[in-house]
Amino acid sequence: MQFSTTIPQYQEKNSWWQRFISQPHQLFFSSALFFAIFIMLLTLCSLTGILNLDFSLIHGFGFNYALFTNAFLGFLITVIPKYNATQAINKDKYLNPWIFYQIGIFITLFINITLGKILISFVLFYFVKLFYETIKKGKASVKTDSIYINFILFLGALMLLIEAVSSSNLSELIFFCFLISMVFIIALKMIPAFYFGYTGISPWQRPKYIPFISITLIFLTGVSMQFELDLLLKTVSLLSSVFFGYVLFKLNLFKKTPAILSILVLGLVWFEFAYISLFFESLFLDYTFKLSFHIFAIGFMTTLLIGFGSRVIRGHAVPAQTIQADNITKALFVFTQIVLLTRIFASISFIAESSFFTYLLNLSSIFWILLFFVWTLRYAKTLLRIK
């Protein structure tokens, strides 16, 4: 499916606030951009010793729920009705939850971890219920992907609630079983459709078992990493490398396409490369300062965030903009790869026991902040509906 550049005519309000809250992606994407910069600033302050902060909370929870979940909630509220051929979700159903969600993040980071995580999990359960009702009312003949996505969102809420009540750290389990699974299922649905829309080449009619096996393998990856199950990690990373390599080959997305689509395809390539890296790490290295983990996070998820985010922002702007990557978006895409490579070299330096690793780690954090600062400058006026 394509995002149409012809969007419903939203009634312009005199109030800026009414314009801003009229579309869900404007709220959640704005929050995601803020936290992308804010959380990395706190991370950098923690790494350099400027502030005495809980690094695991700031970096793990902060990126899992403040950045990525914010961004993909905005995306899902926008596309779940499209997936299921039903009416758009009214702002009355997402405005207050958005406010409570942001409050929950600040409570978790600065006031009370347990209370904040419980509040966020309840907001996520609310969206699970909202999406369930939307899917149920929809007239689409095939709803399998939407059901998978909503189930994964339910797991993300449940795991956070378990974290809260047990005072445990399930960040790696959450990262794979919730975020990576969700983004991959969305990418598996959307990218071939975008590719077909441009090239006219019929997409691979994937077997029905592909999403289920994909989710199962990603889940097992999260379990093996969270609980340090070395044999399971070796086995599942090898199987995943082969399976996802097969899926990528069958998707056949490698003809020359516009940059806005090439960004998304490269994200899938990084996903495969991350699993190959994880397999070799599990065989030969004891600890790599989370090399493959950051290939998943930056190479796969952040690349897709730039690609999907730019499409949604441009396609749902008022007035709508042409869905293509301008020079700034192309530069952001290239710079995302620079951020990733800097982080990869930081892990390689760590493996080599080089003192240069600290410099590269801090540099990758600074590059990340710069990446999202420029993206904010490019799209802030559109997202915030500033005339």
Side-chain angles (χ1 to χ4, degrees), residues 19 37 54 71 76 84 92 98 116 130 137 146 167 180 203 210 220 227 246 266 292 295 307 314 325 334 365:
R19 296 196 304 273
I37 297 170
D54 183 341
L76 291 176
N84 297 278
D92 295 336
W98 170 73
L130 179 62
K137 291 187 296 185
S146 297
S167 298
I180 292 292
I210 293 293
L220 290 174
F227 301 106
Y246 166 77
L266 184 61
S292 57
I295 298 175
R314 297 179 73 89
V334 172
S365 300

Side-chain angles (χ1 to χ4, degrees), residues 141-180:
S141 57
V142 179
K143 302 180 179 182
T144 307
D145 288 338
S146 297
I147 294 170
Y148 277 130
I149 290 168
N150 206 34
F151 172 71
I152 293 167
L153 182 61
F154 170 79
L155 287 181
L158 181 62
M159 286 186 287
L160 185 63
L161 184 60
I162 292 172
E163 247 196 4
V165 299
S166 64
S167 298
S168 56
N169 181 355
L170 301 177
S171 59
E172 293 190 343
L173 194 65
I174 288 169
F175 180 76
F176 283 97
C177 298
F178 171 35
L179 291 175
I180 292 292

Side-chain angles (χ1 to χ4, degrees), residues 27-40 42 57-74 98 101-110 117 120 124 160 174 178-179 305 368 372:
L27 296 166
F28 287 92
F29 283 15
S30 298
S31 297
L33 286 173
F34 168 78
F35 283 115
I37 297 170
F38 182 65
I39 294 298
M40 187 57 83
L42 293 181
L57 175 68
I58 296 296
H59 199 69
F61 166 83
F63 282 111
N64 283 347
Y65 285 97
L67 167 58
F68 288 119
T69 304
N70 247 322
F72 284 98
L73 277 175
W98 170 73
Y101 192 87
Q102 314 315 314
I103 291 172
I105 292 171
F106 281 105
I107 291 175
T108 304
L109 293 176
F110 301 115
K117 287 182 176 180
I120 292 172
L124 293 177
L160 185 63
I174 288 169
F178 171 35
L179 291 175
L305 180 61
W368 171 281
F372 280 94

